[in-house]
Amino acid sequence: MQYRTEIDGLRALAIIPVLWLHAGFPGLSGGFLGVDVFFVISGFLITGIITREIAKGTFSIINFYERRARRILPALFLVIAVTTLLLPLAGDSPRIFADYGASLLSVATFVSNFYFWQTSGYFGSTSELTPMLHTWSLAVEEQYYIFFPLIALWALPRGKALFISLMLGIFIISLGLAQWQHTVDPIGNFYLLHTRAWELMAGGLASLFIQTRAFKRIPELAKSLLAIMSVVIVVVSYMWFTPDTAHPSLLTLAPVAGAVGIILFASSTNLTGRLLSTRLLTLTGLISYSLYLWHQPILAGLRIYFGEHLPVIAAIAGLVLSVVLAVISWHFVETPLRNRSKFTRPRIFKLSAAGLAAVILAGCVQTQNVAVRSLWEPENMVRFTMLDTAYESHLHQKMADEPCKIWSPLLDEAFTARFEQCAAKHNKAVFILGGSHGMDMYNAVAFNSKNPFVVSVSRGSCRAHGYNGNPNDVPQCQYEDFISFAKTHSDNIELVIYTQTPDRLFSNNDMFTARARDINQQYVDDVVAYLSQVHQQFSLPVLMIGMLPPITTDPVDWDYTREFDSQLPDYVSDNTIEVSHALDKRLASRLAEHGVDYYSKIDGFELQLPRDLVIDGKITYSDHRHITTQGEEVFGHRLLTHLFNKGYTELEPIDRKPTQQQASD
């Protein structure tokens, strides 16, 4: 196979945005698309190798897997070995080691994409602390290596037309599944082979097209223009896509088509090919695999050590270290292991088997660290289990789901259909709107209310005011959809409840140093305007539940080696409580002018900090500004009791035993 320097240049164009995004730098919110470009390149190269060797009668499954083992495993084993040895320097939380061990087991069995599908998303603080998260893409390729050669071996001897038809069929079906699945399971859509196969097939079809007479008849000027256009499409996609963009989906056709165009039309005879063949880009492309392997555990380790918000200088240092280690592993591991005279096939397979066994052993040891440590520090592990439960509540929030207690992140046809079925049975619903705090509020009401018809459309970062997060990450929220929904369903809504995070209503999102004068009046006006519109336009009772004061430290970062009572006061900020009261007063006053009720969450929750951070041996905050399942149950019951006594009969609480703290009071 003829070496094409522009392919290595394209690898550089793929890896640089991935590193940029993971380092937390602004401007390339779609940097994750670099992985999609890698998939296209892989599909192009693997299809070309297999088709040529089958045509010559030299293709062998054993040879194929030998080459894949030489390419993938040695550098991977090195990165895992170094990460395993050095991870304790970043942090000593049993949670880190247990999760890391489980991820190693998934890597060794080529199913890490399934593991991360089930345990985390790709974006956000949790993923940024996961050293082996990036191996999900290796798992996708490894699964592709299992199935695709078998398809080619069966189809190609029966004719290239059949092979192309199968690839086109896989492309269409896979793309269709991706377009559908992003609406019902966006995380699985991101991680799994069946919604990524079309990207691999796109590269594969390009490898077949480039050999045809039709391709060779394309004028050089047209190829040159198409190559430039393809680069522009890929680069613009890096800037335009955000974590909230439906992906992979039909929209992803743009960067995939751009990658295909670069592969097809960039060459040594045109400007694009010469630019991609510059020394710096080709060298970056050569080390791109090692660079991809190293960057995630290094950046994750730095975040475990420094905290979620990595200092810029630390991020830059992490990238520099990634490049240095990538050069070393490419020169001393990747390149030598491809030398068949020094490392024969039997030796490669033996080393691969030994490496996989070592990874499995390391994974088993790491996953059992909590149980082992419980033998000599049982009290510490009890506290750790409390913290871990709170962390799980934040990571995998369980939404109340009964026949007519319904939560949805989108106000879509599926939600509307369930709502209408329940309206026919129960007539009127309590409807909860909000962001992630709206999700907490829905559970607090649904878990504690006798009312059988409680619904919510809520999702993270969705607030009824101007968006002040990353401008590249503006979510698609539900508030205008609710206005349209209420036009036809207001007769079946008994009460609208709205709540949100308080910090976003302050300048710089900082309640720890803010004063009442730092309240963002425009955002307050936005909230008042929206809720008064719902109240006046549809004659609906509207209730806003106020502010939950943030605490200074996520429970997952509390010291599990110390008694909680001695450290809880450290996590309470008098300032956040003070400015929460100030914000409560301002919103209550403004909303009262429009006939909208407002109740303080501090009062409704009967919140006493720091005492209420732990109730009946369970932590009530899941991070610094959300509540756990325990918080939803305890605070929710207190809130509904409070509101029921104020005349909200639709919120009659269920009977629940008093907590130990209440009993002692």
Side-chain angles (χ1 to χ4, degrees):
M1 185 176 183
Q2 183 179 359
Y3 173 65
R4 292 179 56 188
T5 53
E6 60 271 15
I7 297 293
D8 271 329
L10 180 57
R11 286 193 175 105
L13 193 62
I15 190 62
I16 291 172
V18 172
L19 270 60
W20 188 274
L21 176 73
H22 289 172
F25 300 151
L28 296 179
S29 59
F32 54 87
L33 292 171
V35 176
D36 302 72
V37 175
F38 276 123
F39 284 153
V40 174
I41 295 172
S42 181
F44 175 81
L45 296 176
I46 295 301
T47 302
I49 291 169
I50 291 176
T51 54
R52 278 188 291 273
E53 291 187 356
I54 289 179
K56 294 177 181 178
T58 59
F59 180 76
S60 162
I61 289 288
I62 296 296
N63 287 341
F64 178 79
Y65 289 143
E66 177 196 341
R67 288 196 297 264
R68 295 301 92 205
R70 290 179 187 274
R71 168 67 172 159
I72 293 173
L73 297 181
L76 176 62
F77 290 155
L78 175 64
V79 171
I80 289 174
V82 174
T83 303
T84 303
L85 291 174
L86 298 184
L87 187 60
L89 299 179
D92 66 347
S93 169
R95 175 80 197 196
I96 293 172
F97 296 116
D99 288 350
Y100 177 66
S103 70
L104 289 186
L105 293 175
S106 70
V107 171
T109 52
F110 312 126
V111 292
S112 60
N113 57 333
F114 284 91
Y115 171 76
F116 291 116
W117 167 41
Q118 293 298 315
T119 59
S120 69
Y122 183 76
F123 305 101
S125 59
T126 300
S127 63
E128 290 173 344
L129 301 177
T130 306
M132 290 293 116
L133 177 72
H134 59 327
T135 61
W136 74 270
S137 63
L138 300 186
V140 169
E141 292 215 24
E142 287 155 354
Q143 292 153 18
Y144 161 69
Y145 297 152
I146 292 172
F147 296 109
F148 188 70
L150 300 178
I151 293 172
L153 273 175
W154 179 82
L156 275 173
R158 291 168 171 79
K160 185 172 284 190
L162 174 62
F163 183 54
I164 293 172
S165 298
L166 286 173
M167 292 182 67
L168 281 171
I170 294 171
F171 177 93
I172 293 169
I173 293 171
S174 174
L175 179 57
L177 288 172
Q179 179 64 23
W180 167 78
Q181 191 166 340
H182 85 80
T183 63
V184 296
D185 180 14
I187 297 177
N189 187 52
F190 188 93
Y191 279 122
L192 302 182
L193 173 63
H194 68 276
T195 53
R196 293 288 189 167
W198 68 275
E199 298 175 344
L200 293 154
M201 293 302 105
L205 289 168
S207 76
L208 298 176
F209 177 64
I210 205 170
Q211 303 173 40
T212 63
R213 293 178 181 175
F215 173 80
K216 294 174 182 177
R217 286 198 296 266
I218 299 174
E220 289 301 317
L221 178 61
K223 289 180 181 179
S224 181
L225 294 174
L226 288 169
I228 294 172
M229 186 187 308
S230 298
V231 171
V232 171
I233 290 171
V234 171
V235 173
V236 169
S237 296
Y238 288 152
M239 295 185 289
W240 181 70
F241 273 64
T242 77
D244 287 309
T245 304
H247 170 74
S249 69
L250 289 172
L251 295 175
T252 317
L253 277 169
V256 168
V260 168
I262 294 171
I263 290 172
L264 288 175
F265 304 118
S267 69
S268 58
T269 62
N270 57 45
L271 176 63
T272 302
R274 288 193 293 270
L275 288 175
L276 289 175
S277 299
T278 56
R279 187 66 173 162
L280 181 60
L281 286 182
T282 54
L283 287 176
T284 303
L286 285 172
I287 66 168
S288 60
Y289 175 62
S290 283
L291 191 51
Y292 183 73
L293 289 179
W294 280 112
H295 86 281
Q296 177 66 17
I298 289 172
L299 293 176
L302 289 172
R303 284 191 169 92
I304 292 170
Y305 183 81
F306 286 104
E308 176 184 340
H309 301 291
L310 192 61
V312 173
I313 189 66
I316 293 173
L319 293 184
V320 171
L321 179 59
S322 298
V323 172
V324 171
L325 292 176
V327 171
I328 292 172
S329 61
W330 174 78
H331 184 74
F332 293 104
V333 178
E334 279 195 72
T335 303
L337 268 293
R338 294 181 191 177
N339 188 329
R340 286 181 171 81
S341 62
K342 292 183 179 180
F343 293 91
T344 62
R345 178 189 295 171
R347 190 177 180 188
I348 282 292
F349 284 152
K350 287 177 182 178
L351 290 173
S352 299
L356 292 173
V359 173
I360 291 173
L361 178 61
C364 291
V365 171
Q366 298 283 6
T367 56
Q368 296 304 310
N369 81 95
V370 174
V372 172
R373 291 166 73 162
S374 296
L375 297 177
W376 68 79
E377 46 179 338
E379 293 182 0
N380 288 346
M381 288 303 102
V382 168
R383 285 189 289 271
F384 169 76
T385 300
M386 293 171 61
L387 300 179
D388 195 47
T389 301
Y391 176 78
E392 280 291 335
S393 182
H394 174 67
L395 186 61
H396 302 296
Q397 186 176 21
K398 295 181 180 179
M399 307 303 295
D401 186 14
E402 298 179 18
C404 291
K405 290 185 176 178
I406 310 165
W407 169 80
S408 174
L410 301 171
L411 213 166
D412 54 13
E413 293 180 0
F415 171 84
T416 301
R418 283 190 68 183
F419 181 92
E420 291 173 347
Q421 291 173 359
C422 291
K425 184 177 181 180
H426 298 293
N427 191 20
K428 289 179 179 287
V430 173
F431 203 119
I432 299 167
L433 292 170
S436 56
H437 284 247
M439 296 167 66
D440 289 349
M441 180 57 60
Y442 164 71
N443 275 347
V445 174
F447 285 147
N448 292 283
S449 176
K450 289 183 178 180
N451 192 328
F453 195 12
V454 178
V455 303
S456 177
V457 179
S458 47
R459 59 182 299 192
S461 301
C462 284
R463 300 170 287 273
H465 60 70
Y467 188 73
N468 60 349
N470 186 332
N472 292 321
D473 299 339
V474 178
Q476 299 298 313
C477 293
Q478 68 275 9
Y479 296 105
E480 290 304 315
D481 291 338
F482 178 77
I483 296 296
S484 300
F485 179 86
K487 289 178 181 178
T488 54
H489 296 85
S490 60
D491 290 343
N492 298 116
I493 299 175
E494 188 171 15
L495 173 67
V496 176
I497 297 177
Y498 172 79
T499 193
Q500 70 163 80
T501 179
D503 55 317
R504 299 295 181 178
L505 290 167
F506 287 85
S507 301
N508 300 321
N509 305 329
D510 180 12
M511 294 180 66
F512 296 103
T513 60
R515 295 291 182 264
R517 64 176 178 269
D518 297 316
I519 294 173
N520 188 319
Q521 190 57 50
Q522 180 58 56
Y523 289 174
V524 169
D525 292 343
D526 290 347
V527 173
V528 171
Y530 181 80
L531 296 181
S532 61
Q533 177 189 1
V534 172
H535 171 62
Q536 294 168 7
Q537 183 172 344
F538 306 110
S539 300
L540 288 172
V542 178
L543 167 65
M544 181 172 180
I545 305 297
M547 305 304 154
L548 180 72
I551 58 176
T552 63
T553 306
D554 292 355
V556 70
D557 294 322
W558 295 359
D559 186 354
Y560 69 95
T561 65
R562 293 169 49 204
E563 291 285 351
F564 286 147
D565 288 346
S566 66
Q567 53 182 309
L568 292 183
D570 298 338
Y571 307 137
V572 176
S573 165
D574 293 335
N575 195 74
T576 64
I577 296 173
E578 180 182 339
V579 295
S580 291
H581 281 303
L583 185 56
D584 282 334
K585 290 179 182 178
R586 184 172 301 189
L587 278 165
S589 173
R590 291 292 317 283
L591 288 169
E593 299 171 3
H594 301 274
V596 175
D597 286 346
Y598 185 97
Y599 284 96
S600 163
K601 198 171 286 183
I602 297 174
D603 295 339
F605 282 6
E606 300 175 12
L607 193 61
Q608 298 182 50
L609 297 175
R611 189 182 77 158
D612 280 348
L613 289 176
V614 179
I615 297 177
D616 290 352
K618 298 179 180 179
I619 297 170
T620 57
Y621 273 62
S622 61
D623 64 359
H624 67 284
R625 58 181 180 159
H626 296 90
I627 54 178
T628 62
T629 301
Q630 173 77 346
E632 291 165 352
E633 292 178 355
V634 174
F635 296 149
H637 193 268
R638 293 178 185 178
L639 176 66
L640 264 59
T641 301
H642 180 81
L643 293 173
F644 182 72
N645 292 334
K646 295 290 185 179
Y648 285 92
T649 56
E650 64 269 44
L651 297 177
E652 181 179 1
I654 61 173
D655 296 327
R656 194 182 287 279
K657 292 181 180 181
T659 65
Q660 293 175 6
Q661 291 181 10
Q662 291 171 323
S664 64
D665 292 342

